[in-house]
Amino acid sequence: FGVHAERHERKAPTLSWMGSIQVMQGRGEPAEKALREALDKAGGDEREFVLIWLYLAAELNGGRGREAIRPHLESVDADKLTGAILRFFDGSLTREALLKRAEEKPAMARLDLAEATFFIGAQQAVRGQREEALRWYRRTLDTGAVPYREHTFAQLELQRGAK
C-alpha cells in the first residue's frame, strides 16, 4: 500500500485516506505527515476533512491538534458541518453547539450526527479517554449512517473495544 503509493504522485484523496487510516491505527507521526502533504494538494470540502484528520493526527503526535489547524481556520466555512467540527476542535464551539448544528437540517441530520458524534469520539480517543470515545462511537452507530466511513470506523473501534 505505502510502497506502491511512493512510486506515483500521491493525490490528496489517497493521502487523506492513508492519514485517516493511520490515525485509526494510532500512528500519529505517519498520519500527520500524509495529511500535511494532502493539505497542500487539497481544495474545497476535501481540504476541510483533511484538516479534521490532521487535528486528530497532531493530537496523537504530541497533543498539537489546535496548533496544526489554527493557521487554516480563517479559510474554513463556519456555516458547514466540517467548519463546526474544526471550531469544536479549536475550542471555539461547544460540544452541545456542534450537536445542535448537526441537527439543523432535517434532511441531513442523521448523516451530520454520524460525523459529529464520530469526531467527538475520535477526539476523546486520541486524548486517551477510551471509554468516553466508545460511548460516542455507539451514538455514531445509532444514526445508521452506513455509507459514511465514520460509521465504519466507529463500528471497527467498538469491535476492537469489546476485545
Side-chain angles (χ1 to χ4, degrees), residues 13-149:
T14 302
L15 291 161
S16 178
W17 266 102
M18 287 171 53
S20 64
I21 290 168
Q22 289 168 329
V23 166
M24 296 309 296
Q25 293 173 333
R27 300 176 60 216
E29 191 173 329
E32 186 172 351
K33 181 180 177 191
L35 291 160
R36 285 191 183 278
E37 186 179 342
L39 187 61
D40 291 338
K41 298 176 180 188
D45 289 344
E46 180 180 43
R47 189 170 199 281
E48 293 181 6
F49 275 104
V50 169
L51 283 168
I52 288 170
W53 286 101
L54 176 61
Y55 167 87
L56 295 169
E59 276 294 296
L60 268 175
N61 198 23
R64 300 175 296 99
R66 285 183 181 176
E67 179 184 318
I69 64 171
R70 206 167 258 154
H72 308 281
L73 289 179
E74 284 187 26
S75 66
V76 169
D77 185 347
D79 292 331
K80 293 181 358 190
L81 182 64
T82 50
I85 292 167
L86 286 163
R87 288 179 25 239
F88 167 70
F89 284 165
D90 184 52
S92 59
L93 189 70
T94 66
R95 181 183 297 176
E96 294 74 24
L98 172 59
L99 293 170
K100 184 176 179 182
R101 165 56 189 87
E103 294 175 322
E104 274 180 3
K105 299 176 185 172
M108 290 296 296
R110 180 176 63 91
L111 300 174
D112 286 352
L113 275 171
E115 287 182 341
T117 56
F118 172 79
F119 286 115
I120 291 169
Q123 182 188 53
Q124 300 303 310
V126 298
R127 291 180 170 175
Q129 299 168 345
R130 186 87 180 129
E131 288 305 312
E132 183 70 5
L134 293 175
R135 188 170 76 81
W136 285 100
Y137 292 150
R138 281 186 206 92
R139 287 187 66 178
T140 302
L141 291 190
D142 289 344
T143 67
V146 176
Y148 276 33
R149 71 176 159 180

